[in-house]
């Protein structure tokens, strides 16, 4: 009775014979090229680990247009909102679009109750300037400033508006003309 293993021989450690003469990095490069070639022949997308969709060939229609079929495809009509969002993201305009949403859609962002009494005037570096119609509304908005910021963050995302600068109505100015002299003006000559 001989002592032979019942199964196939265990694999030998080390490179295959066709690659055994290559030194270090050349061996690695060659093995990688062979693995990529084998993956391509199996229809896999090399480098991503996914399979490529099978290509259908129709006899005599080499230059014929292929239709997308019943499933969703990038060639299908897309919603305008999705396309513009993708373009804005690729161009790096997402923050500018979010800023425009805060100012342009103010009533839907903060609600009609607040929007009826306050309007945004400027948005620079995360500071939103809001003008209230009265000093009472300016005070009220300062009190609920955290809730207003939370509504804005929920509508357009965090970090677009970090602080609010709330001002009341502008008082009339007594300054007349383009030039101004410091001081109390004509009132300091009495008495």
């Amino acid at each position: 009775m001989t002592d032979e293993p019942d199964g196939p021989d265990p694999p030998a450690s080390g490179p295959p014979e066709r690659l055994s003469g290559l030194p270090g990095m050349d061996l690695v490069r060659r093995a990688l090229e062979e693995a990529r070639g084998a993956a391509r022949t199996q229809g896999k997308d090399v480098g991503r680990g996914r399979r490529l969709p099978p290509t259908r060939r129709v006899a005599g229609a080499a230059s014929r247009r292929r239709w997308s079929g019943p499933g969703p495809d990038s060639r299908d009509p897309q919603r305008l909102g999705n396309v513009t969002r993708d373009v804005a993201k690729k161009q790096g305009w997402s923050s500018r679009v979010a800023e425009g949403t805060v100012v342009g859609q103010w009533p839907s962002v903060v609600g009609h109750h607040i929007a009826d009494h306050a309007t945004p005037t400027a948005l620079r570096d995360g500071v939103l300037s809001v003008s209230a119609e009265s000093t009472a509304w300016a005070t009220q908005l300062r009190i609920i400033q955290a809730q207003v910021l939370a509504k804005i963050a929920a509508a357009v995302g965090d970090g677009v508006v970090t602080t609010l600068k709330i001002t009341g109505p502008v008082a009339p100015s007594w300054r007349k003309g383009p030039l101004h002299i410091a001081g109390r003006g004509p009132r300091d000559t009495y008495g």
Side-chain angles (χ1 to χ4, degrees):
M1 182 175 229
T2 60
D3 253 347
E4 290 184 21
D6 293 289
D9 291 338
S13 62
E17 288 183 30
R18 66 182 182 283
L19 301 176
S20 62
L22 296 173
M25 286 306 292
D26 292 335
L27 172 67
V28 173
R29 284 189 193 105
R30 186 70 167 281
L32 182 60
E33 288 173 9
E34 287 184 8
R36 285 182 176 162
R40 281 190 199 105
T41 59
Q42 294 175 0
K44 292 183 180 177
D45 191 7
V46 176
R48 296 186 187 178
R50 299 182 200 145
R51 295 186 66 83
L52 291 175
T55 57
R56 268 191 320 185
R57 302 264 181 204
V58 178
S63 64
R64 188 180 210 183
R65 182 174 180 185
R66 295 188 187 133
W67 301 100
S68 64
D73 190 5
S74 63
R75 296 174 289 175
D76 288 342
Q78 304 291 320
R79 293 183 177 263
L80 183 61
N82 295 344
V83 173
T84 54
R85 186 176 24 254
D86 291 343
V87 169
K89 194 179 293 182
K90 287 179 186 174
Q91 296 293 328
W93 299 335
S94 296
S95 62
R96 302 291 296 197
V97 170
E99 290 172 2
T101 302
V102 171
V103 177
Q105 297 179 359
W106 179 249
S108 64
V109 171
V110 295
H112 290 286
H113 187 66
I114 294 173
D116 290 342
H117 303 285
T119 57
T121 55
L123 177 57
R124 289 187 190 91
D125 300 325
V127 178
L128 178 65
S129 299
V130 178
S131 177
E133 70 176 12
S134 67
T135 54
W137 266 101
T139 303
Q140 183 67 23
L141 287 176
R142 286 186 192 106
I143 291 171
I144 62 168
Q145 183 173 2
Q147 287 89 357
V148 173
L149 285 172
K151 285 182 178 184
I152 294 170
V156 297
D158 291 331
V160 176
V161 177
T162 56
T163 55
L164 293 177
K165 180 181 175 186
I166 301 167
T167 58
V170 178
S173 173
W174 297 106
R175 294 172 61 172
K176 305 286 190 261
L179 302 176
H180 175 70
I181 298 173
R184 289 192 49 163
R187 291 178 295 278
D188 65 350
T189 59
Y190 300 117

